[in-house]
Amino acid sequence: MKAARPNLSELARHLGVSIATASNALSGKGRLSPELAQRIRETANQMGYVPSQAGRALRTGRSGVLGLVLPDIGNPLYPEIAQEIERVATGAGYGVLIANSRDDISAQDKAIFQLVERGVDGIVIVPRRGTKVPETRCPIAIIDTPKTPRNTVSGDHFDGGAQVARHLTALGHTRILLIGDDPSSNVQNTRINGMRSELSDAQTVETIWIVEIEAKHGKGCALDLAAWRARGFTAFACVSDPHALRALTELQSAGIAIPAEATVTGFDNLQWSSFISPPLTTVKMNMPEIARLAIDALVTAIKDRDASDDTPSPPVTARKASVPMELVIRRSSGPAPEAQP
Amino acid sequence: MKAARPNLSELARHLGVSIATASNALSGKGRLSPELAQRIRETANQMGYVPSQAGRALRTGRSGVLGLVLPDIGNPLYPEIAQEIERVATGAGYGVLIANSRDDISAQDKAIFQLVERGVDGIVIVPRRGTKVPETRCPIAIIDTPKTPRNTVSGDHFDGGAQVARHLTALGHTRILLIGDDPSSNVQNTRINGMRSELSDAQTVETIWIVEIEAKHGKGCALDLAAWRARGFTAFACVSDPHALRALTELQSAGIAIPAEATVTGFDNLQWSSFISPPLTTVKMNMPEIARLAIDALVTAIKDRDASDDTPSPPVTARKASVPMELVIRRSSGPAPEAQP
DNA sequence: CTGAAAGCGCTTACAG
DNA sequence: CTGAAAGCGCTTACAG
């Protein structure tokens, strides 16, 4: 009644072959007759043999696990990143261990250390704002912005912003309010800069940062967008969908019709952005591609590092650092009304 | 220049003690003089000694890692679950390996198998709709609804629904539309049933399911809520915040003022629910508590299982299966207007 | 109070 | 083409 999972030596004994032969058959490494290999694989299956990761990890020095460090879930984009990273990593034969860099500023370093302690082969990090990613001997892939030091791969946030701006210009908007959340965010700044790069001096452009307004009036306070509208601003371009949602509902509540009287745009194409009324014009990142490039780069770095040992791992670089974004035009953006207050 | 991370035997040699003593000092297990233990720990720190998980796992048969299986990210509640599970698990000394049960129906079983293959000590599952969680010898904690077979712990969705209904009744609403997404969801059904349980025959209550409407009119179609409003329905109670958002923006777009002319409620208290205009009345789950109970139960089961080996692990039950929810009243709900069409 | 030794399950040169 | 043996780093009885 020994139904517990067999190990390699039990499997080998059962088959009357050596343990090495069994191992070779399953890994397809050493040369052995195809028939024997076949027979071994079948029996392994049938006996429910599952190789021990621990044994393998101890022997090979590789855990087959990658770490993923994400900041607090505040940004609803992270689940999508996590999902894509998990999908690609699984496809490459890796598991994904998650860690959270929430709380204090040192949490990111702590999270990284914990992952290293658990023996991950490499780490993907979406850095917290205003932090430095420490150097380790464990390869690290960074997803932030093209300008971030040691950045591995990211969406082309600048170009995404530029696309929004061209769209608004084409619709005839001349007074445009850019709405950011936190000026210390690399991603948000790059998006804003991208927008500004495509807006001409003939247009009036202002930027507001929500954290600064909330610092004065409290969290969740009104952004007074109706007042901006009254001053002739007809386009409200936000750095992410949740802020666009906040803007859109605030304008709607004030009785301003979207898109007839004001245009609102977001960023990130979150699930609900296509389901609200009116559906939100936004910018979609190519997450599957970003995840693929990040994991590819990481896996390559892991293999390289096996050769040259010791020393901190050099920055991991992807084949392509910047992945294009796609403007998704929906009904929340429309032609500028006659821009009268 | 041997700066690479030392292992236990190098540490022991460096200290002139046996490898067993070093191990005992670090784990605090075997009895040894406090001074020696102290000295060993200090030197270990100073030499940057990091114990090998692989070695430990191989020896102890425990990986110190839990698996977390979540369905597709469609439900924006999952990130919060993931975050809390990760937090609690880390606190209990476990890492968290994520897996996704997206795609086809068998994906959930596949995800579980992969985690087992990676040697996790236990698994937390939020089951996909309409699937059976397979029995394994690996302990599994299920987070779904109190009625789900083998459910370990969950929010009290029924009572959450009841709280919403009492709130609406107290506000004087007599014609109430319940808005669900998918009738095959245990969670959504329980919430709807909870609402119905507290609505009297004196009230008119109807339920619509978004997937059914979309099956006819296409994804993202209008829900025609203005028509319901015209028929005198003044309260729109949704099974989750994204659906409430859809309802709220649809009503606002149709020129119906919230909450003056219609009340909208959601479920789950997602981040943005407090930032929209008007902010959303919703129901908040006690995720930290749910995560704590789930992990506690799992860890207990893992320890128990070490005693009795083999055989599928019995269902993991938490000290408390059902965690209360909290109604969060915000401005999207208000007194019923004179309910004239 | 401390140490020598076995063994967890695997892979990988190496010998035959 | 196949097998015997070493060893990855740890913990845990056990002996002293």
Side-chain angles (χ1 to χ4, degrees):
Chain A
M1 196 68 245
K2 185 85 167 52
R5 55 183 47 170
N7 60 24
L8 194 51
S9 88
E10 279 160 18
L11 174 66
R13 185 161 3 103
H14 183 89
L15 277 155
V17 302
S18 86
I19 192 173
T21 300
S23 173
N24 284 331
L26 295 170
S27 67
K29 284 271 181 76
R31 266 149 302 283
L32 68 164
S33 66
E35 310 82 45
L36 181 55
Q38 178 64 10
R39 190 160 67 89
I40 292 175
R41 274 191 295 264
E42 273 166 11
T43 313
N45 252 333
Q46 182 185 308
M47 290 180 69
Y49 169 71
V50 174
S52 151
Q53 284 297 318
R56 177 175 295 170
L58 183 54
R59 175 62 228 234
T60 63
R62 311 258 241 88
S63 63
V65 172
L66 303 179
L68 173 62
V69 180
L70 293 175
D72 193 24
I73 293 298
N75 184 335
L77 191 58
Y78 296 145
E80 199 188 339
I81 298 188
Q83 176 158 271
E84 289 303 325
I85 292 286
E86 188 270 345
R87 191 179 56 77
V88 178
T90 300
Y94 284 89
V96 177
L97 212 43
I98 55 173
N100 203 312
S101 58
R102 96 189 79 64
D103 298 343
D104 52 306
I105 304 193
S106 68
Q108 183 169 285
D109 291 11
K110 221 180 296 172
I112 293 171
F113 178 72
Q114 278 181 2
L115 290 173
V116 170
E117 205 173 10
R118 290 214 174 270
V120 298
D121 295 335
I123 303 180
V124 177
I125 298 185
V126 179
R128 276 179 68 92
R129 292 195 263 273
T131 57
K132 290 224 181 336
V133 175
E135 312 227 343
T136 55
R137 44 169 56 86
C138 172
I140 289 183
I142 298 178
I143 302 179
D144 193 14
T145 71
K147 278 183 195 160
T148 304
R150 291 163 63 209
N151 189 67
T152 303
V153 59
S154 63
D156 190 340
H157 301 285
F158 190 91
D159 181 61
Q163 288 188 52
V164 170
R166 283 196 295 270
H167 174 60
L168 297 177
T169 302
L171 289 169
H173 293 277
T174 56
R175 294 173 77 83
I176 298 171
L177 186 65
L178 310 184
I179 304 178
D181 179 40
D182 188 334
S184 72
S185 155
N186 287 342
V187 166
Q188 292 182 35
N189 265 306
T190 309
R191 289 174 176 182
I192 295 261
N193 290 340
M195 295 195 221
R196 284 189 171 273
S197 76
E198 288 282 332
L199 296 173
S200 73
D201 289 349
Q203 292 162 302
T204 304
V205 181
E206 300 267 358
T207 303
I208 60 173
W209 296 98
I210 294 179
V211 291
E212 291 173 359
I213 298 174
E214 290 189 333
K216 274 189 223 136
H217 301 104
K219 247 192 160 319
C221 65
L223 304 178
D224 269 334
L225 300 184
W228 287 94
R229 178 65 190 79
R231 276 185 272 152
F233 283 79
T234 57
F236 299 82
C238 306
V239 294
S240 83
D241 286 356
H243 304 114
L245 178 62
R246 182 168 178 172
L248 186 142
T249 55
E250 184 174 325
L251 289 164
Q252 278 189 338
S253 286
I256 295 166
I258 316 288
E261 300 174 291
T263 278
V264 176
T265 66
F267 248 100
D268 296 338
N269 192 35
L270 300 186
Q271 298 256 196
W272 45 256
S273 66
S274 60
F275 295 132
I276 61 176
S277 294
L280 191 62
T281 291
T282 187
V283 178
K284 181 179 168 185
M285 296 182 64
N286 189 342
M287 274 301 177
E289 177 73 357
I290 292 172
R292 225 198 62 221
L293 287 167
I295 299 290
D296 274 5
L298 202 48
V299 170
T300 304
I302 290 168
K303 285 187 183 137
D304 289 359
R305 201 200 42 135
D306 278 359
S308 69
D309 231 332
D310 234 4
T311 67
S313 192
V316 172
T317 56
R319 237 173 322 113
K320 195 168 157 219
S322 205
V323 176
M325 298 206 173
E326 179 194 344
L327 180 67
V328 182
I329 298 175
R330 302 205 184 94
R331 286 197 299 100
S332 75
S333 60
E338 296 312 315
Q340 304 293 7
Chain B
M1 197 69 243
K2 187 79 167 52
R5 55 182 47 166
N7 61 25
L8 194 52
S9 88
E10 280 159 16
L11 174 65
R13 186 158 8 101
H14 183 90
L15 278 155
V17 301
S18 86
I19 192 173
T21 301
S23 174
N24 283 333
L26 295 170
S27 67
K29 285 271 180 73
R31 266 147 303 285
L32 68 166
S33 65
E35 310 81 45
L36 180 55
Q38 179 62 10
R39 190 161 66 89
I40 292 176
R41 273 192 294 267
E42 272 167 12
T43 313
N45 253 331
Q46 182 185 310
M47 289 179 71
Y49 169 71
V50 175
S52 152
Q53 284 297 318
R56 176 175 297 171
L58 182 54
R59 175 62 228 236
T60 62
R62 311 258 242 86
S63 64
V65 172
L66 303 179
L68 173 62
V69 180
L70 292 175
D72 193 25
I73 295 299
N75 185 335
L77 190 58
Y78 296 145
E80 199 188 339
I81 299 187
Q83 177 157 270
E84 288 304 324
I85 292 287
E86 188 270 344
R87 191 179 56 77
V88 178
T90 299
Y94 284 89
V96 176
L97 212 42
I98 55 172
N100 202 312
S101 60
R102 96 188 82 63
D103 299 343
D104 51 307
I105 305 192
S106 66
Q108 182 169 285
D109 291 11
K110 221 180 297 170
I112 293 171
F113 179 73
Q114 278 181 4
L115 289 173
V116 170
E117 206 174 7
R118 289 213 175 271
V120 297
D121 295 334
I123 302 180
V124 177
I125 297 184
V126 180
R128 277 179 67 91
R129 292 195 263 271
T131 56
K132 291 221 180 342
V133 175
E135 312 225 342
T136 55
R137 43 168 60 83
C138 172
I140 289 182
I142 298 178
I143 302 179
D144 194 15
T145 72
K147 279 184 195 159
T148 305
R150 293 162 61 208
N151 189 68
T152 303
V153 59
S154 63
D156 191 339
H157 302 285
F158 190 92
D159 180 62
Q163 289 188 54
V164 170
R166 283 197 294 270
H167 174 60
L168 297 177
T169 301
L171 289 169
H173 293 276
T174 56
R175 297 174 76 82
I176 297 171
L177 185 66
L178 310 185
I179 303 179
D181 179 41
D182 188 333
S184 72
S185 156
N186 286 342
V187 168
Q188 291 183 36
N189 265 305
T190 308
R191 289 174 176 182
I192 294 262
N193 290 340
M195 296 195 220
R196 284 191 171 274
S197 76
E198 288 282 332
L199 296 173
S200 74
D201 289 350
Q203 292 163 302
T204 305
V205 182
E206 301 267 358
T207 304
I208 60 174
W209 296 98
I210 294 179
V211 291
E212 291 173 359
I213 298 174
E214 290 189 332
K216 274 189 220 136
H217 300 104
K219 249 193 161 308
C221 65
L223 304 178
D224 269 334
L225 299 183
W228 286 95
R229 179 63 190 79
R231 276 185 271 151
F233 283 79
T234 57
F236 300 82
C238 306
V239 293
S240 83
D241 286 355
H243 304 115
L245 177 62
R246 183 168 179 173
L248 185 142
T249 55
E250 184 175 325
L251 289 163
Q252 278 190 340
S253 287
I256 295 165
I258 315 290
E261 301 175 291
T263 277
V264 176
T265 66
F267 248 100
D268 294 340
N269 192 35
L270 300 187
Q271 297 254 199
W272 45 256
S273 65
S274 59
F275 295 131
I276 61 176
S277 293
L280 191 62
T281 291
T282 187
V283 179
K284 183 178 166 184
M285 297 181 63
N286 190 342
M287 274 301 175
E289 177 74 356
I290 292 172
R292 225 199 61 220
L293 287 167
I295 298 291
D296 273 4
L298 203 48
V299 169
T300 305
I302 290 168
K303 286 189 180 133
D304 290 358
R305 201 201 43 135
D306 277 359
S308 69
D309 230 333
D310 236 3
T311 66
S313 192
V316 173
T317 57
R319 238 175 319 116
K320 191 167 159 223
S322 207
V323 176
M325 298 208 176
E326 178 195 343
L327 181 66
V328 181
I329 298 176
R330 301 206 185 95
R331 284 197 300 102
S332 75
S333 60
E338 297 311 316
Q340 304 294 6

